[in-house]
Amino acid sequence: MAEVQRAHWQQTYGAHPGMYGEEPSAPALHAAAVFRAAKARTVLELGAGHGRDALYFARAGFTVHATDFSATGLAQLRDAAAAQGVAERVTCTVHDVRTPLPLPDASVDAVFAHMLLCMALSTKEIEAAVAEIRRVLRPGGTLVYTVRHTGDAHYGAGIDHGDDIHEHGGFAVHFFPRALVDSLAAGWSLDEVHAFEEGELPRRLWRVTQTVLG
């Protein structure tokens, strides 16, 4: 499923450059405020796509390491960073979140992931990804992520791949039960679980903020 989804995203970004627009997402606006309050300087964004949020973080003065498994999306991000004059604050790396992060231990202040963890990932792969996030975060570092949850209208619709993963319109989504959010925060400080809606349908999501203890 991973390679099928990668190809689907590559095709989608290629056919619809800048498909999410230039304005940052609401979760990114929230995350920037949280990161600023925590005196973060370096932000790792997982699943950055064509970069609307990564570019916002860079314009806000953060040093940003943007990753995505779509080279097409990241190419658009690089071009936009140059056009906006923030290329020196943005690094892009093609990376599949199913593999270890290409960063040293305790090397970033904050991590942001908007709907990345609810892609076509198994529960074990999500757990491994969060363990990697914790590895690269400095003590006291903050993770802000969003995921679609089991209250979403698309939960149970389309092709059922098991493990709460359902495919609708070519996109596979792992819908999160609350118990998964809580388990992923074990050993962290779970600061907030905020329910919100976004886009058409609308999508129903949680915005989760958690901090590395110590």
Side-chain angles (χ1 to χ4, degrees), residues 119-209:
M119 294 296 182
L121 303 169
S122 70
T123 298
K124 287 185 178 180
E125 289 169 335
I126 293 167
E127 291 169 346
V130 172
E132 273 295 287
I133 290 169
R134 181 169 182 170
R135 178 184 68 79
V136 303
L137 274 171
R138 296 188 177 104
T142 303
L143 165 64
V144 175
Y145 73 89
T146 66
V147 288
R148 293 173 75 175
H149 59 67
T150 52
D152 188 280
H154 277 164
Y155 178 62
I159 302 170
D160 184 355
H161 293 282
D163 199 15
D164 286 324
I165 299 173
H166 297 269
E167 183 178 339
H168 189 274
F171 295 99
V173 176
H174 190 135
F175 294 90
F176 273 47
R178 176 57 195 258
L180 180 54
V181 171
D182 292 338
S183 70
L184 293 175
W188 299 64
S189 170
L190 181 57
D191 305 320
E192 180 190 47
V193 180
H194 171 72
F196 71 104
E197 296 182 347
E198 181 182 80
E200 297 180 0
L201 189 63
R203 295 185 294 269
R204 293 177 179 169
L205 302 98
W206 281 316
R207 185 190 70 215
V208 181
T209 303

Side-chain angles (χ1 to χ4, degrees), residues 87-112:
E88 75 282 357
R89 289 203 294 274
V90 179
T91 302
C92 297
T93 302
V94 176
H95 174 259
D96 190 325
V97 74
R98 296 169 184 82
T99 63
L101 287 166
L103 294 170
D105 295 358
S107 58
V108 298
D109 299 323
V111 177
F112 178 72

Side-chain angles (χ1 to χ4, degrees), residues 27-107:
L29 296 174
H30 168 81
V34 170
F35 298 160
R36 199 174 290 115
K39 302 188 184 310
R41 295 181 179 180
T42 56
V43 175
L44 167 64
E45 182 180 357
L46 304 177
H50 65 76
R52 63 170 177 161
D53 291 336
L55 293 167
Y56 167 70
F57 291 137
R59 293 194 303 271
F62 297 100
T63 298
V64 182
H65 191 142
T67 71
D68 199 278
F69 73 173
S70 170
T72 301
L74 290 180
Q76 294 170 16
L77 195 166
R78 289 190 191 94
D79 289 345
Q84 295 179 23
V86 294
E88 75 282 357
R89 289 203 294 274
V90 179
T91 302
C92 297
T93 302
V94 176
H95 174 259
D96 190 325
V97 74
R98 296 169 184 82
T99 63
L101 287 166
L103 294 170
D105 295 358
S107 58

